[in-house]
Amino acid sequence: MDIESLIRRKKELGITNQQLAQISGISLGTVNKIFSGATRSPQNDTMNALVSALGLDFYQYRPGSRADVICEPSSAYQMDRNSGIYTLDDYDSLPDEVRAELIDGYLVFMEAPSVRHQEIIGELYYCIRHHIKKAKGSCKVILSPVDVQLDNDDRTVVQPDLLIVCDRGKSDGHRIHGAPDYVAEVVSAGSRKRDYLVKLNKYWTAGVREYWIIDPDGRKVTVYEFGEQEENFQMQTYTFQDKIPVSTCTGLVIDFSELDL
């Protein structure tokens, strides 16, 4: 992967060097040197992190021994033989017992969530729903599994662990069409790269306003707020002992130290 490809992709996403540094975990100084041409031979690990942060390695995933991986199309299901990718029709034809997401034409097969995962999402759902009901708000908080046709096309359907939708017109009673206002994902060992890189880019570009990644092992919550202007992008990391504001719901602050976790 050459620098020109990275520059083109960064322009497509409309992100700054500072935002790219936050997403990739590479220092801003190093990112600036690479994109200015000052560093002509970056380290492989650095380049891999930038490639992943820009979503350019997404199509290089290959089936592995785990169920929770992004897989190439196979003959198990019908697919578009010309483009070599799955479509919404293929996704809808999956057996009911198969848990999967469709991301840019690639199927992601998922394992059943852990008890810990469900405990966290259950506590979060209760706090948000209670606040909305008390405030007589119009937004809806919804638990997974629910299909979200994120880009309103036939190549992507995701199932966030928890979401808030304030425009009820986005729901047809079957699935959500377009970006939710708020999304929360509980990260696991198998979903870490997808949640922190692939889905981060997808949610950001689709128009999600607020994205939480909850890490039970690290006992931390990374909160991304995507403003309409790129300079309004914000990222902050909290612990399970902190009080975390939910910007999507005015006045709601979730005290993680008081949750039954």
Side-chain angles (χ1 to χ4, degrees):
M1 184 65 62
D2 57 40
I3 299 299
E4 292 302 319
S5 297
L6 298 184
I7 292 174
R8 285 195 298 271
R9 179 59 172 167
K10 190 164 77 75
K11 287 181 178 179
E12 288 174 4
L13 295 175
I15 62 177
T16 65
N17 285 357
Q18 182 175 5
Q19 291 163 350
L20 180 56
Q22 290 175 322
I23 297 169
S24 66
I26 303 301
S27 71
L28 178 58
T30 298
V31 172
N32 287 338
K33 288 178 181 178
I34 290 173
F35 282 91
S36 68
T39 299
R40 298 186 178 276
S41 299
Q43 295 182 357
N44 286 337
D45 289 347
T46 299
M47 287 296 291
N48 288 337
L50 294 176
V51 167
S52 293
L54 292 168
L56 289 171
D57 72 337
F58 179 61
Y59 299 102
Q60 297 172 12
Y61 279 87
R62 295 294 183 265
S65 59
R66 300 179 59 89
D68 190 10
V69 296
I70 298 174
C71 297
E72 286 188 311
S74 69
S75 58
Y77 305 104
Q78 294 297 316
M79 68 179 182
D80 184 338
R81 294 294 181 180
N82 293 321
S83 64
I85 59 177
Y86 286 110
T87 67
L88 182 60
D89 288 339
D90 300 316
Y91 176 84
D92 286 338
S93 70
L94 291 172
D96 291 340
E97 66 272 15
V98 174
R99 298 189 69 247
E101 293 179 307
L102 178 69
I103 303 180
D104 290 337
Y106 281 65
L107 283 172
V108 182
F109 296 101
M110 301 180 293
E111 297 172 340
S114 67
V115 172
R116 177 74 162 156
H117 177 288
Q118 295 301 85
E119 288 174 343
I120 292 171
I121 287 300
E123 290 281 342
L124 194 58
Y125 172 82
Y126 173 80
C127 292
I128 295 174
R129 186 176 186 276
H130 177 74
H131 176 83
I132 292 175
K133 295 283 284 186
K134 185 177 180 180
K136 301 186 185 305
S138 60
C139 298
K140 295 286 290 184
V141 56
I142 304 171
L143 281 167
S144 179
V146 62
D147 287 345
V148 177
Q149 204 169 337
L150 194 62
D151 298 322
N152 277 317
D153 61 16
D154 66 348
R155 295 294 189 269
T156 297
V157 180
V158 293
Q159 292 190 356
D161 290 329
L162 186 104
L163 59 94
I164 299 174
V165 177
C166 296
D167 180 358
R168 297 199 179 192
K170 290 185 176 182
S171 171
D172 63 3
H174 176 57
R175 59 172 47 117
I176 304 298
H177 298 271
D181 295 271
Y182 167 101
V183 167
E185 300 278 13
V186 177
V187 69
S188 66
S191 71
R192 182 171 299 276
K193 191 170 187 178
R194 186 169 72 254
D195 290 336
Y196 277 105
L197 299 173
V198 178
K199 280 193 170 182
L200 173 61
N201 279 312
K202 292 297 295 183
Y203 290 145
W204 187 359
T205 56
V208 172
R209 292 164 50 197
E210 184 174 4
Y211 177 35
W212 285 25
I213 301 179
I214 304 167
D215 182 353
D217 292 337
R219 297 186 62 81
K220 65 180 182 179
V221 182
T222 305
V223 175
Y224 299 90
E225 292 186 39
F226 309 123
E228 293 184 3
Q229 304 296 324
E230 64 180 43
E231 60 268 19
N232 294 330
F233 174 97
Q234 295 183 47
M235 180 190 75
Q236 188 162 350
T237 300
Y238 300 88
T239 74
F240 275 21
Q241 297 301 312
D242 291 330
K243 296 178 180 179
I244 308 177
V246 182
S247 64
T248 304
C249 298
T250 303
L252 174 58
V253 177
I254 297 179
D255 187 346
F256 264 69
S257 67
E258 293 186 352
L259 301 184
D260 186 16
L261 302 177

